Amino acid sequence: MTLPSQRLGRAFAVSTQQSLRPACPVAGGHLQPEYDAVVIGAGHNGLIAAAYLQKLGVNTAVLERRHVIGGAAVTEELIPGFKFSRASYLLSLLRPQIYKDLELKKHGLKVYFRNLYSFTPMLEEGIRDKPPRSLLLGTDMAETQKQIAQFSPKDAQAFPKYEKFMNRLASAIDPLLDATPVDMTVFQHGSLHQRLRALFTFKPLLQAGLILGAQLPQYYQVITGPITKVLDEWFESEPLKATLATDAVIGAMTSPHTPGSGYVLLHHVMGGLEGKKGAWGYVEGGMGALSHAIAKAAAAHGANIFTEKPVDKVQVNSNGQVQGVVLKDGTEVRSKLVLSNASPQITFLKLVPQEWLPEEFFKRISQLDTQSPVTKINVAVDKLPNFLAVPNSTSGQPLPHHQCSIHLNCEDTQVLHQAFEDATKGIPSHRPMIELCIPSSLDPTLAPPGCHVISLFTQYTPYTMTGGKVWDEQERNAYADRVFDCIEAYAPGFKKSVIGRDILTPPDLERVFGLPGGNIFHGAMSLDQLYFARPLPSHSNYHSPVRGLYLCGSGAHPGGGVMGAAGRNAAKVAFEDFKSINPSLITEHPGHCSWPAF
Ligand SMILES: Cc1cc2nc3c(=O)[nH]c(=O)nc-3n(C[C@H](O)[C@H](O)[C@H](O)COP(=O)(O)OP(=O)(O)OC[C@H]3O[C@@H](n4cnc5c(N)ncnc54)[C@H](O)[C@@H]3O)c2cc1C
């Protein structure tokens, strides 16, 4: 926690390196010397993998190094009374089957829908005493078109067609997310039985092709091209193009002009909530409440979850078969399966003894692109930001735009590109791209009455700065002050309302959450690191070179975001292997022994 700088006025007496310790209702108990499966890390993917395995009769323990569960889907009370979704803050991508299978509502999950999803205020002088313009996009298409028409009537006409076009692509990709990617090595080296089984992995690809039909080449261009090229074909107004382009660069050290940015946009529009395609929402109690609901589901089936249990080493026997793990304090925990929710780089460069990994594999894991532009700033304020474009009401109650992703410095794609260019020179952006969210505008449980928690997802900040500068307290505060100055220009009075702030630069994200390079997805979501190349070509099926060791986090297919697909898919692969070496499972757990389990 960065203390509020003196210049922020009323310094809040917080002097903690980590959040106030919440009681984790599901973590604890007595660590056994042996389990069927051990999951390294209690990120949402690790918890999901544990929940599925345990429900299927595989005795599972989750070992988390931090004092809280959830990984990057976590709530931390950094200032008494203020609960922050310290890393991720919006829910949409979680796979629909997971809500159902794990009965997340029953286990306490509540989500606040956002009917309006994006607000982009302009920095301009109002004309004839009118406030500056802004662009508000939401679920009501007629209203959204009216908003776009302020900038371009032509774009307003095109927008519903664009949405339909993108939704079709999202539907095509959808089945690919819940399945193991096509495994080409099995076709070359597998037995006849394995090859026949592998044929089924083509099914989602064929389904995708059928959905896209004759328009496949156009969609190919969207996925591989720069998002600016795609958007220029559809629209002419910069505020709309820049607002849409933010989703194409979020979390990526790329410009909207970079080829492949189209896929990142798609990754952020293919979610949905309770059947509403593309909807995003806030989890009541912050993102950690989602992780707790998953953990409760896992615990209800009998899984054991432990915090403050950092794993030091994966143990491998002389036959190259996993044997369990050793904790930092020397405790050994034996298991037949180990699923690692840690990133590929932590798993293979730090936890697995190097002699068990092919040299080429080790080298390529160390060469993964983990660059990240993101600095997350969590802010506690004593009043709602008051935007010049849509002034607050006298009651001070949140207005519809307060629930949106508020995009600042996003009125022109060139501004985004320039922000990226700064970072390529090793300088934090002069005018950073800012996504400002106020979850407490919908969720009253997060802050004291009248106060709010604000999430600032900002980029671009390089991990290593030019001239050998490091991200020390001075640099962190200088950058946060720059971000605050930008916000002040759109919403005067913001700076005075700040009670405290928590600044997480890429090295901080790496240190606190174990995200290499600070990359929010465990590794770039570039086309060369996706699908059957995630984390590496020919290693995308959750298996690893060590028998019995699986990757179950965002570094595996289909990648980052609070999606849960990697955890679920990995559990399926691990379970099938476990069943083949433990036929007794079928007699002991009849009815639970085949996938899908429930
Ligand atoms: C700032 C930020 C904002 C984001 N915003 C969003 C958003 O709004 N919506 C969204 O969908 N996604 C968002 N994301 C991305 C998303 O949060 C992540 O991709 C996702 O949460 C990763 O989940 P995971 O379970 O795969 O891994 P993680 O959450 O990274 O979990 C891995 C776990 O393993 C633990 N671990 C590592 N090493 C060890 C060890 N040796 N022993 C024991 N435990 C270990 C870690 O402590 C951690 O708990 C954001 C991410 C960040 C960082």
Side-chain angles (χ1 to χ4, degrees):
M1 177 74 192
T2 303
L3 285 169
S5 75
Q6 291 308 316
R7 286 184 297 112
L8 290 172
R10 302 143 302 144
F12 205 91
V14 181
S15 61
T16 169
Q17 284 300 308
Q18 61 187 30
S19 54
L20 306 173
R21 284 167 183 263
C24 179
V26 285
H30 189 64
L31 184 63
Q32 305 294 322
E34 184 163 0
Y35 294 86
D36 293 333
V38 159
V39 177
I40 304 172
H44 80 287
N45 272 314
L47 293 168
I48 285 169
Y52 276 96
L53 286 174
Q54 187 70 50
K55 170 90 190 194
L56 288 157
V58 182
N59 190 24
T60 304
V62 182
L63 307 173
E64 166 58 42
R65 81 189 162 95
R66 290 198 75 206
H67 65 293
V68 275
I69 61 164
V74 71
T75 304
E76 294 188 52
E77 192 171 344
L78 301 167
I79 296 174
F82 291 86
K83 293 182 191 141
F84 296 94
S85 288
R86 197 175 184 195
S88 63
Y89 46 102
L90 278 168
L91 183 68
S92 174
L93 303 175
L94 192 74
R95 304 304 296 151
Q97 196 61 35
I98 294 173
Y99 290 94
K100 223 171 107 203
D101 289 346
L102 302 186
E103 301 180 288
L104 295 184
K105 266 192 181 173
K106 187 181 117 188
H107 290 293
L109 179 68
K110 182 174 168 191
V111 182
Y112 293 96
F113 281 86
R114 308 191 311 171
N115 296 327
L116 293 164
Y117 43 79
S118 115
F119 172 62
T120 311
M122 305 293 116
L123 256 195
E124 59 185 14
E125 293 293 322
I127 303 160
R128 283 194 221 103
D129 291 336
K130 280 198 179 156
R133 290 170 303 165
S134 62
L135 176 65
L136 198 55
L137 306 177
T139 45
D140 182 335
M141 183 53 84
E143 263 314 305
T144 293
Q145 285 183 286
K146 258 196 227 165
Q147 286 280 325
I148 298 172
Q150 297 176 87
F151 301 94
S152 161
K154 197 167 146 241
D155 287 359
Q157 288 297 313
F159 192 70
K161 291 180 210 137
Y162 166 81
E163 284 244 297
K164 206 168 153 204
F165 177 82
M166 292 306 276
N167 285 343
R168 186 156 158 210
L169 184 52
S171 323
I173 303 275
D174 202 65
L176 293 171
L177 305 176
D178 298 319
T180 305
V182 169
D183 186 351
M184 299 310 289
T185 45
V186 171
F187 285 103
Q188 268 180 319
H189 305 295
S191 64
L192 182 63
H193 176 69
Q194 284 170 326
R195 286 185 218 190
L196 285 173
R197 257 181 44 180
L199 272 180
F200 285 98
T201 59
F202 277 104
K203 195 175 154 201
L205 272 182
L206 290 175
Q207 280 174 323
L210 285 174
I211 292 173
L212 299 179
Q215 276 189 305
L216 190 60
Q218 280 93 316
Y219 285 113
Y220 171 77
Q221 201 184 32
V222 172
I223 289 179
T224 56
I227 197 62
T228 40
K229 187 174 173 201
V230 177
L231 293 172
D232 285 346
E233 283 172 10
W234 284 92
F235 306 118
E236 61 185 14
S237 68
E238 277 305 324
L240 178 63
K241 285 193 282 186
T243 300
L244 298 174
T246 57
D247 272 339
V249 294
I250 208 144
M253 190 54 105
T254 56
S255 154
H257 296 314
T258 309
S261 43
Y263 180 80
V264 181
L265 177 124
L266 189 68
H267 193 78
H268 287 96
V269 299
M270 57 198 173
L273 286 173
E274 297 187 5
K276 287 190 194 152
K277 278 251 163 240
W280 287 80
Y282 296 120
V283 176
E284 185 176 81
M287 286 300 262
L290 167 70
S291 302
H292 276 198
I294 300 167
K296 277 188 197 158
H301 295 301
N304 288 188
I305 299 162
F306 302 92
T307 52
E308 297 181 282
K309 293 276 182 270
V311 171
D312 191 42
K313 212 172 97 185
V314 171
Q315 282 198 304
V316 186
N317 70 16
S318 54
N319 296 323
Q321 171 76 38
V322 93
Q323 263 190 323
V325 298
V326 185
L327 304 185
K328 278 247 154 70
D329 64 8
T331 310
E332 289 188 20
V333 185
R334 289 189 304 281
S335 65
K336 297 188 184 73
L337 308 176
V338 173
L339 287 84
S340 178
N341 185 196
S343 71
Q345 292 199 334
I346 290 180
T347 305
F348 298 115
L349 305 184
K350 296 204 169 140
L351 303 182
V352 176
Q354 200 179 332
E355 65 265 29
W356 290 110
L357 299 174
E359 215 173 293
E360 185 64 16
F361 178 89
F362 187 87
K363 187 171 126 204
R364 297 203 59 188
I365 290 284
S366 65
Q367 289 170 338
L368 286 177
D369 176 3
T370 57
Q371 284 187 92
S372 174
V374 177
T375 287
K376 175 88 191 292
I377 309 176
N378 298 299
V379 193
V381 293
D382 65 9
K383 61 170 77 69
L384 271 175
N386 189 9
F387 291 93
L388 289 170
V390 183
N392 286 356
S393 66
T394 45
S395 75
Q397 288 305 305
L399 294 173
H401 67 282
H402 286 119
Q403 63 176 264
C404 295
S405 285
I406 300 172
H407 296 289
L408 305 179
N409 292 339
C410 295
E411 44 275 82
D412 195 309
T413 324
Q414 202 44 38
V415 179
L416 303 183
H417 178 67
Q418 187 53 54
F420 164 74
E421 286 278 283
D422 291 346
T424 60
K425 296 178 197 124
I427 305 165
S429 306
H430 288 102
R431 251 191 103 182
M433 175 181 125
I434 302 168
E435 187 193 4
L436 183 157
C437 286
I438 317 171
S440 50
S441 64
L442 287 177
D443 177 0
T445 69
L446 300 175
C451 295
H452 288 276
V453 288
I454 295 187
S455 154
L456 299 174
F457 187 95
T458 78
Q459 54 191 74
Y460 297 82
T461 46
Y463 186 97
T464 318
M465 286 183 282
T466 190
K469 274 203 243 171
V470 291
W471 282 106
D472 55 16
E473 208 53 21
Q474 193 184 340
E475 289 299 331
R476 266 195 210 104
N477 278 317
Y479 176 72
D481 287 345
R482 190 181 302 170
V483 170
F484 282 19
D485 284 342
C486 292
I487 300 172
E488 187 77 14
Y490 292 91
F494 168 75
K495 288 206 283 190
K496 253 180 86 183
S497 72
V498 173
I499 296 170
R501 66 189 187 187
D502 167 46
I503 308 163
L504 298 163
T505 63
D508 298 318
L509 291 170
E510 180 172 71
R511 181 178 46 81
V512 177
F513 295 105
L515 301 166
N519 191 290
I520 72 166
F521 304 130
H522 286 193
M525 296 281 290
S526 46
L527 290 178
D528 59 317
Q529 294 191 171
L530 285 175
Y531 194 59
F532 48 25
R534 193 168 188 84
L536 291 182
S538 305
H539 290 281
S540 60
N541 58 5
Y542 307 99
H543 288 101
S544 76
V546 175
R547 264 181 293 124
L549 172 67
Y550 307 82
L551 268 188
C552 70
S554 300
H557 169 77
V562 182
M563 194 181 250
R568 184 172 183 269
N569 295 352
K572 179 171 191 238
V573 170
F575 174 69
E576 295 298 342
D577 290 351
F578 187 73
K579 225 171 45 168
S580 66
I581 52 171
N582 279 282
S584 63
L585 197 70
I586 298 170
T587 40
E588 284 165 23
H589 297 274
H592 278 183
C593 59
S594 64
W595 190 281
F598 353 98

